[in-house]
């Protein structure tokens, strides 16, 4: 089932959906793109409408100027058409013919300024030519002084030609104004259509985004919430979150599922630990109960030899119980962060020698060897705790080694570290077993079969060494034994304040005895 679960999670990781970050980046990018597109279209439409308005204004000015020029030419023609009648002023504006002629020249210049197309400029040039011919004919008429009956027909013809040209100019401006108005309507319709399309596109994007969030993000979050509540309330320990939706939610669901699996596994380990503790306690208690039954009233007299064997059995079982309870207490202190150390500067050779001597007298079935350097290898450590670690390592090496095999304890030192190694020729461990070697309450299959225990010794030992600032290294192969190395910071032998003799029992003068956690 675990393999199936791992395969399902691997499939989920390979088929990841869009992440929330990618989704929001896409949405924000799309909104920015729509905004830029809308701004660009708005600027384009505004500029086009400005050009249309400018052209309309020029057309209106052209029509107004052409009409004013027509009026001025007609007024000028009426004022100078009767030679016998004295010249009078313009009745509408009080101008004389000479002033009207000056205004005509100014208006011709304005027409040149407002002309925007080649056709307009050609017609304006034609108007200017006809107006000039008209004024020239009128000038000759006033110089000759002929009467009205001999009025110069050329003046009338040039005036008519000038008026016709002005009418053409007016028509051109009117046509241009109408064309620009149609163009303005088209631009307005285009702007309305683009605005409608962009608005619909924006609403569609928001709708699709909301639908995606609700379907792909909110639903997995709700499933994760339900699984967490069910697991946290203890109603369903098998409850797991669905690993679906965006990658962030998938990662959260996967993390929760891994945490739930780990907690379930820990609970199973704790139950197995309690069963193991109960079993391991039952054996020494049964032995103690049997031993004490020998001294019960009514029993036969116990011989001294049998009493010695019974007392030896009691001592072994009490030592076993003491060690088991000590490991439990140490594990509890370590987890609570209250492991107290009394550091002293000690020679690791003496600590290793004391542990080996302890087991040499009680393990006749094994060859226990000790390899020590000539020079002291000093460390700053709690001697009792360090002996506890070495005792645990040597005890394990002896328990998991076949009878008659060799266990070697060696001490080495370099410029920075003191190394205490325990090598055996026992059952060894596989790489998979090495991964869980220092996990509390966890023991390899071979270890469970070879020797009783609850799986706390190595975990406690590693935490003790780590509290000293050191580490434990392991090398092992199945069937080829194991080597455990304890590495601690080495103390310089020439440093001031160190003890004069390496085997001195008392701590060096000036060394502190405060607790280290």
């Amino acid at each position: 089932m675990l393999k199936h679960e791992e395969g399902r999670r691997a499939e989920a990781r390979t088929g990841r959906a869009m992440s929330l970050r990618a989704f929001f980046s896409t949405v924000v990018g799309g909104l920015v793109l729509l905004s830029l597109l809308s701004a660009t279209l708005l600027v384009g439409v505004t500029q086009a409408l400005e050009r249309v308005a400018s052209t309309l204004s020029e057309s209106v000015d052209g029509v107004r100027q052409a009409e004013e020029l027509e009026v001025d030419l007609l007024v000028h023609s009426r004022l100078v058409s009767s030679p016998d009648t004295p010249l009078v002023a313009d009745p509408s504006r009080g101008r004389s013919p000479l002033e009207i002629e000056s205004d005509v020249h100014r208006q011709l210049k304005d027409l040149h300024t407002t002309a925007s197309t080649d056709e307009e400029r050609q017609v304006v040039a034609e108007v200017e030519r006809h107006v000039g011919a008209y004024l020239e004919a009128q000038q000759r008429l006033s110089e000759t002084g002929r009467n009205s009956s001999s009025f110069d027909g050329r003046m009338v013809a040039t005036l008519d030609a000038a008026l016709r040209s002005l009418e053409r100019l007016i028509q051109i401006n009117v046509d241009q104004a109408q064309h620009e108005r149609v163009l303005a309507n088209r631009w307005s319709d285009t702007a309305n259509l683009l605005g409608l399309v962009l608005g619909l596109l924006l609403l569609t994007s928001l709708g699709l985004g909301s639908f995606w969030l609700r379907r792909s993000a909110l639903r997995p979050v709700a499933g994760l919430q339900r699984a967490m509540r069910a697991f946290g309330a203890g109603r369903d320990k098998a409850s797991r979150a669905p690993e679906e939706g965006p990658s962030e939610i998938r990662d959260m669901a996967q993390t929760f599922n891994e945490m739930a699996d780990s907690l379930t596994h820990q609970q199973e380990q704790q139950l197995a630990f309690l069963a193991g503790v109960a079993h391991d306690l039952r054996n020494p208690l049964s032995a103690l109960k049997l031993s004490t039954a020998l001294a019960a009233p009514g029993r036969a007299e116990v011989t001294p030899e049998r009493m010695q064997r019974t007392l030896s059995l009691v001592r072994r079982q009490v030592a076993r119980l003491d060690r088991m309870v000590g490991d439990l207490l140490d594990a509890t202190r370590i987890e609570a962060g209250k492991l107290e150390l009394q550091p002293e500067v000690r020679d690791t050779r003496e600590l290793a020698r004391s542990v080996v001597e302890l087991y040499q007298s009680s393990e006749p079935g094994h060859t226990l060897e000790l390899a020590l350097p000539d020079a002291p290898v000093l460390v700053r450590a709690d001697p009792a705790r360090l002996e506890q670690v070495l005792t645990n390592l040597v005890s394990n090496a002896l328990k998991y080694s076949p009878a008659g095999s060799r266990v070697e304890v060696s001490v080495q030192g370099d410029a920075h570290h003191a190394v205490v190694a325990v090598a055996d020729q026992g059952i060894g461990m596989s790489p998979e077993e090495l991964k869980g070697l220092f996990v509390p309450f966890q023991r390899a299959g071979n270890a469970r079969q070879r020797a009783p225990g609850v799986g706390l010794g190595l975990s406690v030992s590693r935490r003790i060494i780590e509290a000293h600032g050191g580490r434990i290294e392991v090398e092992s192969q199945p069937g080829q034994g194991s080597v455990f190395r304890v590495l601690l910071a080495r103390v310089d032998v020439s440093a001031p304040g160190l003890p004069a003799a390496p085997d001195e029992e008392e701590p060096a003068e000036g060394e502190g005895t405060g607790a280290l956690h």
Side-chain angles (χ1 to χ4, degrees), residues 461-472 488:
S461 297
R462 187 184 69 168
R463 297 294 290 272
I464 289 175
I465 296 302
E466 289 178 348
H468 284 84
R471 66 182 187 275
I472 297 182
L488 293 171

Side-chain angles (χ1 to χ4, degrees), residues 291-510:
S291 301
T292 55
L294 296 175
R299 303 285 296 187
E301 184 178 354
V302 181
T303 63
E305 293 79 8
R306 185 165 186 179
M307 180 62 69
Q308 289 297 327
R309 289 197 303 269
T310 302
L311 291 177
S312 176
L313 175 63
V314 169
R315 281 195 299 270
R316 288 197 301 271
Q317 299 304 325
V318 169
R320 182 177 173 185
L321 287 173
D322 181 68
R323 181 175 177 182
M324 187 183 304
V325 173
D327 286 344
L328 290 173
L329 290 176
D330 287 339
T332 305
R333 293 191 190 100
I334 289 171
E335 291 300 324
K338 295 181 179 180
L339 178 65
E340 295 185 354
L341 301 177
Q342 303 295 329
E344 302 176 4
V345 176
R346 300 297 295 268
D347 188 354
T348 53
R349 299 180 305 168
E350 299 305 319
L351 297 176
R353 183 181 290 113
S354 63
V355 173
V356 170
E357 289 176 352
L358 173 66
Y359 280 97
Q360 277 179 337
S361 59
S362 60
E363 289 291 336
H366 293 84
T367 301
L368 193 57
E369 297 181 357
L370 178 63
L372 301 176
D374 296 331
V377 183
L378 303 182
V379 295
R380 187 185 302 276
D382 186 332
R385 291 296 184 181
L386 192 53
E387 282 189 7
Q388 177 184 351
V389 172
L390 297 179
T391 300
N392 184 274
L393 296 180
V394 173
S395 172
N396 286 344
L398 295 172
K399 283 191 296 186
Y400 302 126
S401 298
S405 62
R406 180 173 55 89
V407 174
E408 181 182 357
V409 179
S410 61
V411 177
Q412 297 176 351
D414 56 22
H416 303 288
H417 294 95
V419 182
V420 181
V422 179
D424 62 57
Q425 298 173 341
I427 58 178
M429 291 169 284
S430 65
E432 291 74 17
E433 292 172 338
L434 287 175
K435 293 179 181 178
L437 183 62
F438 295 100
V439 178
F441 313 121
Q442 184 168 330
R443 305 179 71 209
N446 290 337
R448 287 192 296 266
Q449 296 169 7
R450 292 292 298 267
V454 294
L456 281 176
L458 288 178
S459 172
V460 171
S461 297
R462 187 184 69 168
R463 297 294 290 272
I464 289 175
I465 296 302
E466 289 178 348
H468 284 84
R471 66 182 187 275
I472 297 182
E473 297 178 351
V474 186
E475 293 181 7
S476 183
Q477 291 183 3
Q480 298 184 14
S482 305
V483 179
F484 286 79
R485 293 186 181 90
V486 176
L487 287 83
L488 293 171
R490 186 172 182 177
V491 177
D492 189 1
V493 69
S494 62
L498 293 182
D503 57 350
E504 190 171 334
E505 292 297 327
E506 292 298 325
E509 183 179 355

Side-chain angles (χ1 to χ4, degrees), residues 145-307:
R146 288 178 294 176
N147 54 22
S148 60
S149 59
S150 60
F151 181 76
D152 190 358
R154 188 169 180 274
M155 184 181 68
V156 175
T158 54
L159 178 61
D160 291 339
L163 294 176
R164 284 195 300 272
S165 298
L166 286 172
E167 288 297 329
R168 284 180 56 198
L169 183 61
I170 290 173
Q171 188 60 43
I172 289 173
N173 281 279
V174 169
D175 292 342
Q176 189 176 11
Q178 291 177 349
H179 176 267
E180 293 299 326
R181 184 180 64 181
V182 172
L183 188 61
N185 292 333
R186 288 179 182 174
W187 275 111
S188 177
D189 294 340
T190 302
N192 293 334
L193 179 61
L194 289 175
L196 181 61
V197 169
L198 290 175
L200 290 176
L201 186 60
L202 179 61
L203 290 177
T204 304
S205 301
L206 291 176
L208 290 176
S210 303
F211 176 77
W212 184 88
L213 279 176
R214 183 176 181 180
R215 179 184 178 85
S216 301
L218 297 182
R219 188 174 64 181
V221 168
L224 176 60
Q225 183 184 25
R226 287 192 298 270
M228 293 174 69
R229 284 182 176 175
F231 187 85
R235 297 192 303 269
D236 185 9
K237 291 300 181 182
S239 177
R240 297 296 182 268
E243 297 182 12
E244 58 185 12
S247 58
E248 292 88 352
I249 299 178
R250 284 189 176 191
D251 291 340
M252 291 172 59
Q254 181 183 350
T255 303
F256 167 75
N257 291 339
E258 291 175 353
M259 180 196 68
D261 292 340
S262 176
L263 289 176
T264 304
H265 182 60
Q266 287 182 9
Q267 289 177 350
E268 293 174 354
Q269 283 186 331
Q270 289 175 359
L271 291 176
F273 160 72
L274 292 176
V277 168
H279 179 269
D280 290 340
L281 287 176
R282 183 187 299 273
N283 291 335
L285 289 176
S286 299
L288 291 175
K289 183 179 179 181
L290 181 62
S291 301
T292 55
L294 296 175
R299 303 285 296 187
E301 184 178 354
V302 181
T303 63
E305 293 79 8
R306 185 165 186 179
M307 180 62 69

Side-chain angles (χ1 to χ4, degrees), residues 107-182:
Q107 291 166 352
L108 287 173
K109 291 181 181 180
D110 293 339
L111 285 176
H112 277 292
T113 304
T114 56
S116 57
T117 63
D118 293 338
E119 185 180 9
E120 280 187 89
R121 284 189 282 272
Q122 291 175 2
V123 174
V124 169
E126 184 180 344
V127 169
E128 187 176 22
R129 188 173 62 254
H130 291 314
V131 170
Y134 163 73
L135 293 177
E136 184 181 354
Q138 186 273 333
Q139 182 67 25
R140 286 200 305 268
L141 178 62
S142 61
E143 289 176 354
T144 56
R146 288 178 294 176
N147 54 22
S148 60
S149 59
S150 60
F151 181 76
D152 190 358
R154 188 169 180 274
M155 184 181 68
V156 175
T158 54
L159 178 61
D160 291 339
L163 294 176
R164 284 195 300 272
S165 298
L166 286 172
E167 288 297 329
R168 284 180 56 198
L169 183 61
I170 290 173
Q171 188 60 43
I172 289 173
N173 281 279
V174 169
D175 292 342
Q176 189 176 11
Q178 291 177 349
H179 176 267
E180 293 299 326
R181 184 180 64 181
V182 172

